Amino acid sequence: MVITLKDVADQAGVSIATASLALNNSSKVKAETFRRVHQIAQKLNYIPNARAQALVKRATKTIGLIIPEMVNPFFAELTQAIKDTVIKESYNIILCCTDYKSEEEVKYINMFKSGQVDGAIFSCMGDLMQKNDEMVLDLAKNYIPVVYVERDSPNHQIIPIIKSDLKDGAYQATKYLIELGHREIGFVGQSSERMEGYRQCITQHQIALNQQFIFYNYITIEGGIAVGKKLLKLVQRPTALVCLNDEMAIGVIQALTHGGIQVPQDISIIGTDNIKISNFYNPPLTTINVPKIKMGKKAGNILLKLMAGQKLPVSEHYLLYPTELIIRQSTALLSR
Amino acid sequence: MVITLKDVADQAGVSIATASLALNNSSKVKAETFRRVHQIAQKLNYIPNARAQALVKRATKTIGLIIPEMVNPFFAELTQAIKDTVIKESYNIILCCTDYKSEEEVKYINMFKSGQVDGAIFSCMGDLMQKNDEMVLDLAKNYIPVVYVERDSPNHQIIPIIKSDLKDGAYQATKYLIELGHREIGFVGQSSERMEGYRQCITQHQIALNQQFIFYNYITIEGGIAVGKKLLKLVQRPTALVCLNDEMAIGVIQALTHGGIQVPQDISIIGTDNIKISNFYNPPLTTINVPKIKMGKKAGNILLKLMAGQKLPVSEHYLLYPTELIIRQSTALLSR
DNA sequence: TCATCCTTTTAAAACGTTTTAACTAATGTG
DNA sequence: CACATTAGTTAAAACGTTTTAAAAGGATGA
């Protein structure tokens, strides 16, 4: 039913070797033969078997992309950018969502080792997750090229890393809130690099770190809502919040608004990531932009290079992308 | 460097046939041999080569998923549901985003024909796109099982189809607006099944179809904003709108709010899809729920069945999932 | 006419598995 | 003891390509 190279060769009256050579545009075959083989292949609608090609070429023309979940605009946008880049070299993407579970990641690493993909991009996993760094390092050393995006690598020589300056982002956000007159500034998220930027900023501005104003939760809308509800019960509330991501910010705003507290009139809120919806939310979210598209493209391009067997210039082993404060309407001057 | 079956066989002192048999848990090998082979395999950290397995087994344990884009919560949620289903049988997903371009889809169809995937799920493509139905039919007839989701199939026997009742959804939405007292009801989107539900409902309720109140645009937030801006300029505005999806609804609301028109006080708006954010938007969106998760799971399960060589019961050739009106706060009684 | 050198073609090996059929050794049976 | 049966192992084929090395054919020149 499915046409194979043998069929083409038979009909063209040549050996499969010649047929293969012709179809791969070898200069060795006679013009006349070349023409005939191509014509027959076209007529029969011959499509080379990718599985056989993969075996002999030791490459599948696919890459693996590890992200925690798809239903998160940050990863969706990153994925899109990576896909747009690698498709130029005809690479396809195998989607590997871990649901924030280390064990899932391990399964995917083993799948990668089996030779299903020619390279892999690992994105961040949430800060509370157990890291599989040694396993990934083994993967990168002995199997396929690997690139990290927004995730720390134990060895930049082997696993290049593309990061955004989240610490500085949180610093900028906090600084802006301080400039707006806020002193009671909280942080919403998980323990992370971002929190460190927040911490540095307030201490530098002689504001004491108040553990009461630090709220841990899932980095989702639901997590934000949970934090918002907790805030409603508080006697003394912070006047401003820096959130780990835009989803949490939206959740917090939703819960607060529902409880009769206005944003930004009563409380200023800053998100992180600048996901698409944040610009169209009510109120439009002040947030920290992370150059997802740029980073995704860079990660894709670096992986393409590595898969092509090229060495990476030292300057590209660790790339830190600047983040940027985007001022919209979820923040306002402190009114007292 | 990479351990192969031959290495395991050599070290265990058996032939590769025996090694293979043992590792595939054949009952034919002696218990002692079985143990020895497994032990060596473990010690050497042997992982079977997926490319070789794919060739001989004529299967790659991957499926293709065709969607227009990732950066659209509807498809992200659908993707997640499909992935969660097929992963149970150890299938991975190759992500195929067409960017609403027919030519891209054609490329992916050819990739599928090359044997890179064992099955495929095709989702909708936007109503304005040229359809490749004949090509997909050929794919399904001669190559691999195919399932359609939210997309019309020319032959349900060969390509089963999972759909939601979008026409009824739009009907319900329009009916609800009429019940709220609205008579000047507009439709925002592309020409589609949904518009047909809207049309039927208003004519059934003796309301004349006003072409002025039908707004075509891209099915994105930006498309919605464009429509919103157009609405602002109108002398006589509709008092309610049914939107093709939630993104458009959000765009419309954003533009109108910006222009000083309140939702739902001045105008009622209903979306479609019930994407996650719609519940957390300000105002929370009244919308038509489409059971994405259920549909994705069903599509995954049907494809698994087909790939396992099972026949599909006739009752599952065409599945229409009911849609449901979710009343939130973007709609209100007509105030006159 | 024969050696030499291209050009073109092809047989065969390789990729790393699974699977079939054949083989060997051991066991059971009349 | 001869024969059939069973258990366990393995050689070899198969999957469908690409690639290498060898072969074949043709032209050139001495």
Side-chain angles (χ1 to χ4, degrees):
Chain A
M1 184 111 260
V2 171
I3 301 298
T4 160
L5 186 57
K6 190 171 178 308
D7 300 321
V8 177
D10 287 352
Q11 290 219 27
V14 295
S15 71
I16 52 171
T18 308
S20 173
L21 252 22
L23 292 173
N24 286 295
N25 301 318
S26 164
S27 59
K28 288 205 233 161
V29 324
K30 218 204 299 184
E32 150 66 9
T33 324
F34 180 95
R35 209 189 45 66
R36 201 166 69 250
V37 171
H38 272 264
Q39 188 191 307
I40 300 279
Q42 182 118 48
K43 192 185 97 191
L44 298 185
N45 224 313
Y46 168 71
I47 298 174
N49 184 301
R51 295 185 300 258
Q53 283 183 324
L55 180 59
V56 63
K57 290 190 172 173
R58 299 175 147 87
T60 57
K61 277 291 181 177
T62 47
I63 68 164
L65 173 61
I66 297 241
I67 55 176
E69 55 164 335
M70 206 64 254
V71 186
N72 178 318
F74 178 85
F75 295 112
E77 290 181 39
L78 187 70
T79 301
Q80 187 83 42
I82 292 173
K83 178 247 152 194
D84 288 344
T85 307
V86 299
I87 198 75
K88 285 177 196 151
E89 302 280 342
S90 309
Y91 279 92
N92 287 301
I93 291 185
I94 291 192
L95 193 61
C96 308
C97 301
T98 62
D99 281 318
Y100 299 97
K101 294 188 194 124
S102 314
E103 324 88 71
E104 290 301 309
E105 195 177 74
V106 172
K107 284 186 201 161
Y108 286 122
I109 293 172
N110 282 322
M111 189 259 279
F112 294 169
K113 285 189 188 172
S114 79
Q116 277 236 35
V117 298
D118 304 341
I121 295 178
F122 283 69
S123 187
C124 55
M125 298 301 304
D127 299 299
L128 301 181
M129 225 191 80
Q130 188 211 318
K131 294 281 177 60
N132 297 311
D133 282 329
E134 342 70 49
M135 301 196 73
V136 185
L137 205 54
D138 171 47
L139 177 72
K141 270 182 183 158
N142 303 312
Y143 297 85
I144 53 170
V146 171
V147 174
Y148 270 7
V149 175
E150 209 69 304
R151 170 164 166 161
D152 260 317
S153 154
N155 185 336
H156 300 164
Q157 312 309 316
I158 291 170
I159 304 179
I161 170 166
I162 319 283
K163 262 195 57 51
S164 69
D165 199 342
L166 290 168
K167 187 175 138 189
D168 180 61
Y171 188 98
Q172 284 181 65
T174 313
K175 183 151 162 272
Y176 176 62
L177 291 172
I178 293 174
E179 284 164 7
L180 287 177
H182 296 277
R183 306 281 298 172
E184 328 269 78
I185 303 169
F187 184 86
V188 179
Q190 296 180 332
S191 148
S192 71
E193 195 185 333
R194 302 173 221 210
M195 196 172 125
E196 180 55 23
Y198 154 81
R199 203 193 53 73
Q200 276 191 13
C201 189
I202 60 166
T203 46
Q204 267 180 33
H205 288 80
Q206 280 81 41
I207 302 177
L209 186 81
N210 182 346
Q211 282 294 343
Q212 308 275 45
F213 288 174
I214 297 197
F215 306 88
Y216 297 104
N217 220 304
Y218 296 111
I219 60 170
T220 59
I221 296 184
E222 287 77 4
I225 289 181
V227 171
K229 284 184 179 161
K230 206 174 289 175
L231 279 164
L232 286 172
K233 291 196 195 124
L234 243 53
V235 186
Q236 196 202 0
R237 259 190 296 277
T239 64
L241 288 173
V242 176
C243 298
L244 186 121
N245 68 9
D246 291 342
E247 280 92 332
M248 290 200 93
I250 286 173
V252 170
I253 294 177
Q254 176 71 14
L256 289 180
T257 312
H258 206 257
I261 296 194
Q262 304 272 336
V263 177
Q265 295 84 337
D266 303 329
I267 185 167
S268 284
I269 298 208
I270 299 190
T272 313
D273 285 352
N274 190 24
I275 62 175
K276 191 170 179 194
I277 193 74
S278 69
N279 189 26
F280 303 107
Y281 198 70
N282 271 331
L285 233 57
T286 297
T287 188
I288 300 295
N289 182 58
V290 175
K292 301 167 283 294
I293 312 289
K294 267 189 201 166
M295 291 167 66
K297 284 189 174 164
K298 194 72 196 176
N301 278 321
I302 288 184
L303 189 62
L304 285 176
K305 240 184 219 173
L306 293 174
M307 288 189 302
Q310 292 174 43
K311 272 272 164 203
L312 201 62
V314 184
S315 60
E316 293 197 348
H317 283 178
Y318 183 95
L319 293 178
L320 192 64
Y321 281 77
T323 50
E324 185 195 3
L325 180 69
I326 310 274
I327 299 172
R328 299 207 188 94
Q329 281 117 66
S330 63
T331 43
L333 271 172
L334 177 67
S335 53
R336 268 287 149 83
Chain B
M1 185 107 261
V2 171
I3 300 297
T4 162
L5 187 55
K6 191 171 177 307
D7 300 322
V8 177
D10 286 353
Q11 290 218 27
V14 296
S15 71
I16 53 171
T18 307
S20 172
L21 253 22
L23 293 173
N24 286 293
N25 300 318
S26 163
S27 59
K28 288 204 232 160
V29 326
K30 217 205 299 184
E32 149 66 10
T33 323
F34 180 96
R35 210 190 43 68
R36 199 166 70 249
V37 171
H38 272 265
Q39 186 191 307
I40 299 281
Q42 183 118 47
K43 190 184 98 191
L44 298 184
N45 224 312
Y46 168 71
I47 298 174
N49 184 301
R51 296 184 301 259
Q53 282 183 324
L55 180 59
V56 62
K57 290 192 173 171
R58 301 176 145 88
T60 57
K61 278 290 181 176
T62 47
I63 69 165
L65 173 60
I66 296 240
I67 55 175
E69 53 164 336
M70 206 66 253
V71 186
N72 177 319
F74 178 84
F75 295 112
E77 290 181 38
L78 187 69
T79 301
Q80 188 81 43
I82 292 172
K83 179 248 153 195
D84 288 343
T85 306
V86 299
I87 198 74
K88 286 177 197 151
E89 301 280 341
S90 310
Y91 279 92
N92 287 300
I93 291 185
I94 291 193
L95 194 59
C96 308
C97 300
T98 62
D99 282 317
Y100 299 96
K101 294 186 194 126
S102 313
E103 324 89 71
E104 290 302 308
E105 194 176 75
V106 173
K107 284 186 203 163
Y108 285 122
I109 293 172
N110 282 322
M111 189 261 277
F112 292 170
K113 284 190 188 172
S114 78
Q116 277 235 37
V117 298
D118 304 340
I121 295 177
F122 283 69
S123 187
C124 54
M125 299 301 303
D127 300 300
L128 302 179
M129 226 192 78
Q130 188 211 319
K131 294 280 176 66
N132 296 312
D133 282 329
E134 342 69 49
M135 301 195 75
V136 185
L137 205 53
D138 171 46
L139 178 72
K141 271 183 183 157
N142 303 312
Y143 296 85
I144 52 170
V146 171
V147 174
Y148 271 7
V149 175
E150 210 68 306
R151 169 165 168 161
D152 260 319
S153 154
N155 185 336
H156 301 164
Q157 311 310 315
I158 291 170
I159 304 180
I161 172 167
I162 318 284
K163 260 196 57 50
S164 69
D165 200 343
L166 290 168
K167 187 174 137 190
D168 179 61
Y171 187 97
Q172 285 181 63
T174 314
K175 184 152 162 270
Y176 175 62
L177 290 172
I178 293 173
E179 285 164 5
L180 287 176
H182 296 277
R183 306 282 297 172
E184 329 269 78
I185 302 169
F187 183 87
V188 179
Q190 296 181 331
S191 147
S192 70
E193 196 186 332
R194 302 171 222 211
M195 196 173 126
E196 180 54 22
Y198 154 82
R199 205 192 53 71
Q200 276 191 14
C201 189
I202 60 167
T203 45
Q204 266 180 32
H205 289 80
Q206 280 82 41
I207 302 176
L209 187 81
N210 183 347
Q211 283 293 344
Q212 308 275 48
F213 288 174
I214 296 198
F215 305 88
Y216 296 104
N217 219 303
Y218 296 109
I219 61 169
T220 58
I221 296 184
E222 287 78 4
I225 288 180
V227 170
K229 284 184 178 159
K230 205 174 287 171
L231 279 164
L232 286 173
K233 291 194 194 123
L234 244 53
V235 187
Q236 196 204 359
R237 258 191 298 275
T239 63
L241 288 173
V242 176
C243 298
L244 186 121
N245 67 11
D246 292 340
E247 280 93 331
M248 292 199 91
I250 286 173
V252 170
I253 295 177
Q254 176 71 12
L256 290 179
T257 311
H258 206 257
I261 297 193
Q262 303 274 334
V263 177
Q265 294 85 339
D266 301 329
I267 184 168
S268 284
I269 298 207
I270 299 191
T272 313
D273 285 352
N274 190 25
I275 61 175
K276 190 170 177 192
I277 192 75
S278 69
N279 189 27
F280 303 106
Y281 198 69
N282 271 331
L285 233 58
T286 297
T287 188
I288 300 295
N289 182 56
V290 174
K292 302 168 285 295
I293 311 290
K294 269 188 201 167
M295 291 168 67
K297 284 190 175 164
K298 194 70 194 179
N301 278 320
I302 288 184
L303 188 63
L304 285 177
K305 242 185 216 172
L306 293 174
M307 289 190 301
Q310 292 174 43
K311 272 274 164 202
L312 203 62
V314 185
S315 60
E316 294 199 348
H317 284 177
Y318 183 94
L319 293 179
L320 192 64
Y321 280 76
T323 51
E324 184 196 2
L325 179 68
I326 309 276
I327 300 173
R328 298 205 188 97
Q329 280 118 68
S330 65
T331 44
L333 270 170
L334 177 67
S335 53
R336 270 283 151 81

